[in-house]
Amino acid sequence: MTSQSSSSVRVRYAPSPTGYLHVGGARTLLFNYLYAKKYGGILVLRIEDTDQARSTREHEKMILSDVQRLGLNYQEGPDAGGSVGPYRQSERLSIYAQRARELFDRDQAYYCFCSDSLLTQKRELAMKLGKSPHYDGTCARISKDEALKRLKAGEKAGLRFRAYQKDMVLQDEVRGRVEFKAGSVGDFLITRTPSSGEEEIAEGIGMPVYNFCCVIDDNAMGMTHIIRGEDHLSNTARQLMIYEAFGWKTPVFAHTAMVLGSDRQKLSKRNGDTSVFEYLDSGYMPEALLNFLVLLGWWPPNDFKPSSGHPEILSVDELAQCFNLDGLQKAPAVFDVQKLQWMNGQYIKHLPLDEIVKRAKPFFVKAGIEVDKYPADWFAQVVDLYRVEVSLLKDLPKAAALFFDASVTLETAAQDWLKSEKSQPIPGLISGFLESSSASLTADDVATMQKMVAEKAGVKGKELFMPVRALTTGMAHGPELKKVLPLLGRDRVLRHVQEIRRQAGV
């Protein structure tokens, strides 16, 4: 495996601005972020927006916002600047045109006048004949002079690279030695014929395509390592040819494991491939989402001991400390939403309370609860009570509804505890105790009340605690009453008891 010991590391994340940032892209970004952070390198964010029909600045803003919310800061990018910009491909078209013309002038590329419909027919015919659907070379035989005359006459064309007819070899940091056999790649487009409404990037040069742009940019921006998903491995043979054509040094490649859904099918929205925006807006913590994503296809060294004490709970700083390409795995990873929820619950339980309170507030406000009208310390205690009960921040308002809903509802499971013969004296005993208590109800008062009920009603264990909980909260389960009832206060608890007795007929 390749090791790196200096600040020369330069990596990139290059999304297309066609929508929100999805979890697969976030994982790729995270791997690159951690590698740069580990070695004191530079993370570049490059916007690949040559698909003019689908790319928008609004989508770009959405992606950058999601990256910011995840806390994965990059050092160079469209909004951060840098010495090798511009960082939007749409602003680098003259660079691609210059390089494309250079290949044409050296006869390493030629103009292809075949229409999209004709290319589709050729591809379908080749497949019917059991041949590889490579370009058949029709336009490769057109002389330069004839091609230029046709362009001057108004015909449109793309530029096609003359593929090398030899084995191309990649030494991948995850896959090991990968061979692309001679003939496995046919002549491929480096620029395409402009679609309706598109303009040529230079006279006679169509719109650049992905494999060409990314090599030109990765070289110009000094990328030392390309860490990306396995789905890009099939592109690599073409990209290696472009590197060779220009005589450029090839960066280190690491193609990470693909991610499958819990059904072991291709990841989709149905089985977990939701946008980062949706996950965060549903109450997932950025730290938990990143912690979960990094373990999809990577594992820390066996001797690394996280401060959490759990081998799978690691902070971003800890991840950066131990991350290396050695830990990347070949086997597909499974996106288990249930495990993500468990991990998120761990972060909600263990992050500092003031941080959880700050992040929880928007979810209470969204639920219609006027948080600011409650004392800050009281609200924090309520959040602290229920954060151990939930795995998503969005579930906190519902879990803590007892404290914010003026009405009280008796759950069926709780009502069952009030119907038993042993429970009959309990409602009167609790009402009497509360009516004679002081306005400030303490944990000691609650303990005294339960002891009194136990002695006078002759009950203990569940036959004591469950009816008391049912009468005071209307619920069968929840946090300790010694913590709940003092926060509710004597008057409100008494109103609960009166209403629940009415509903239960006790």
Side-chain angles (χ1 to χ4, degrees), residues 108-148:
Q108 188 60 58
Y110 58 89
Y111 281 104
C112 180
F113 295 90
C114 298
S115 66
D116 288 344
S117 59
L118 178 59
L119 291 173
T120 299
Q121 291 174 20
K122 290 174 180 284
R123 187 162 45 248
E124 290 176 349
L125 177 60
M127 294 176 71
K128 285 181 181 178
L129 296 175
K131 299 179 179 179
S132 297
H134 294 161
Y135 181 62
D136 62 5
T138 299
C139 293
R141 294 180 286 275
I142 299 174
S143 70
K144 282 187 178 182
D145 288 343
E146 182 183 348
L148 293 174

Side-chain angles (χ1 to χ4, degrees), residues 429-472:
L429 291 171
I430 290 179
S431 294
F433 180 89
L434 291 171
E435 287 168 355
S436 62
S437 297
S438 61
S440 59
L441 192 64
T442 67
D444 288 341
D445 292 334
V446 175
T448 299
M449 178 181 71
Q450 290 176 322
K451 184 177 180 181
M452 177 271 295
V453 171
E455 292 174 350
K456 294 191 175 182
V459 291
K460 60 182 179 180
K462 284 189 174 182
E463 291 180 338
L464 165 65
F465 299 118
M466 296 303 287
V468 172
R469 179 180 296 280
L471 276 164
T472 55

